[in-house]
Amino acid sequence: MALIILGVIIIILASVVLKNNLKLEKFIPVGRIIGFAFIALGIITSCVKQIDGGEIGVKVLFGSIQNDVLGSGIHFNKPLLHVKRLDVKTQNYTMSGVHDEGNQVGDDAIRVLTSDGLEVTIDLTVLYRVVGADAPKLLRETGDDYRDKIVRPITRTKIRDNAVYYQAVDLFGSKRDVFQQRIFKS
């Protein structure tokens, strides 16, 4: 976009400024050619989109999210098309009671009640990833902040829903793996 604006400025300068100076008047065609070259270069570079490895691109045209998903590599698109990049690698979301450890500032550990009526504080890390084919639907229905709208609330709910089936000692002992599998299945 900056190249297009620069090209327009060069054309205006060549037409207005050089026209008033008799010695430089012969450079008007050269100035226009350079201006149009900058505009053409700006249009071409705005058509080329590069998506890095581990990312996908979702096409957005005037706020309308397209169903097309761009894989990693170089793609040629319409000049006015914006490509929203999303990370499809496995990511983690940490909820911890330690002040600077998790994704939220402060104490973000989950407090749950166990089957024996005790309150237990759980620090955890959730591994998740965005499914590439569903990325346009995710952006359309949830937006960019899917971590705070989907990952965090669902994780907290599933932890609380499943912790009530175990005693406090079991959550940190022999049934920890069973607890994790139950959360994963739900």
Side-chain angles (χ1 to χ4, degrees):
M1 188 63 156
L3 291 175
I4 296 172
I5 294 171
L6 183 62
V8 171
I9 291 171
I10 290 172
I11 291 172
I12 292 171
L13 288 176
S15 299
V16 176
V17 175
L18 297 179
K19 189 174 187 180
N20 295 334
N21 192 337
L22 295 175
K23 291 181 182 178
L24 300 176
E25 194 173 78
K26 61 184 175 186
F27 293 110
I28 291 175
V30 174
R32 287 183 181 162
I33 290 172
I34 292 172
F36 283 118
F38 271 99
I39 291 173
L41 186 63
I43 291 172
I44 290 171
T45 57
S46 67
C47 292
V48 177
K49 308 291 181 188
Q50 178 183 344
I51 309 297
D52 295 329
E55 292 182 343
I56 57 157
V58 178
K59 297 178 182 179
V60 180
L61 184 61
F62 299 118
S64 174
I65 297 173
Q66 311 294 312
N67 288 327
D68 296 347
V69 176
L70 303 174
S72 60
I74 294 178
H75 301 276
F76 298 97
N77 297 306
K78 299 173 187 169
L80 298 176
L81 191 72
H82 173 69
V83 175
K84 179 72 180 161
R85 289 178 172 86
L86 291 174
D87 193 350
V88 291
K89 297 180 295 236
T90 300
Q91 301 176 53
N92 63 41
Y93 189 91
T94 301
M95 290 177 256
S96 175
V98 178
H99 182 66
D100 292 333
E101 186 178 21
N103 292 77
Q104 299 285 330
V105 176
D107 185 3
D108 193 33
I110 300 174
R111 286 163 184 73
V112 297
L113 288 176
T114 59
S115 64
D116 51 0
L118 297 175
E119 182 179 77
V120 177
T121 303
I122 300 175
D123 290 355
L124 67 109
T125 299
V126 179
L127 299 176
Y128 70 96
R129 68 178 182 85
V130 174
V131 177
D134 295 334
K137 182 179 177 185
L138 177 71
L139 281 178
R140 198 176 299 118
E141 295 177 3
T142 307
D144 291 344
D145 54 347
Y146 56 88
R147 292 174 69 151
D148 292 328
K149 289 183 178 177
I150 295 176
V151 175
R152 185 172 189 267
I154 288 178
T155 300
R156 293 179 76 86
T157 301
K158 295 302 178 184
I159 296 292
R160 287 186 179 118
D161 289 349
N162 288 298
V164 297
Y165 297 109
Y166 300 94
Q167 293 183 358
V169 175
D170 293 337
L171 289 177
F172 298 102
S174 61
K175 294 188 179 177
R176 180 178 175 178
D177 291 334
V178 178
F179 178 55
Q180 287 177 340
Q181 291 301 322
R182 184 179 184 116
I183 293 168
F184 184 72
K185 287 179 184 177
S186 66

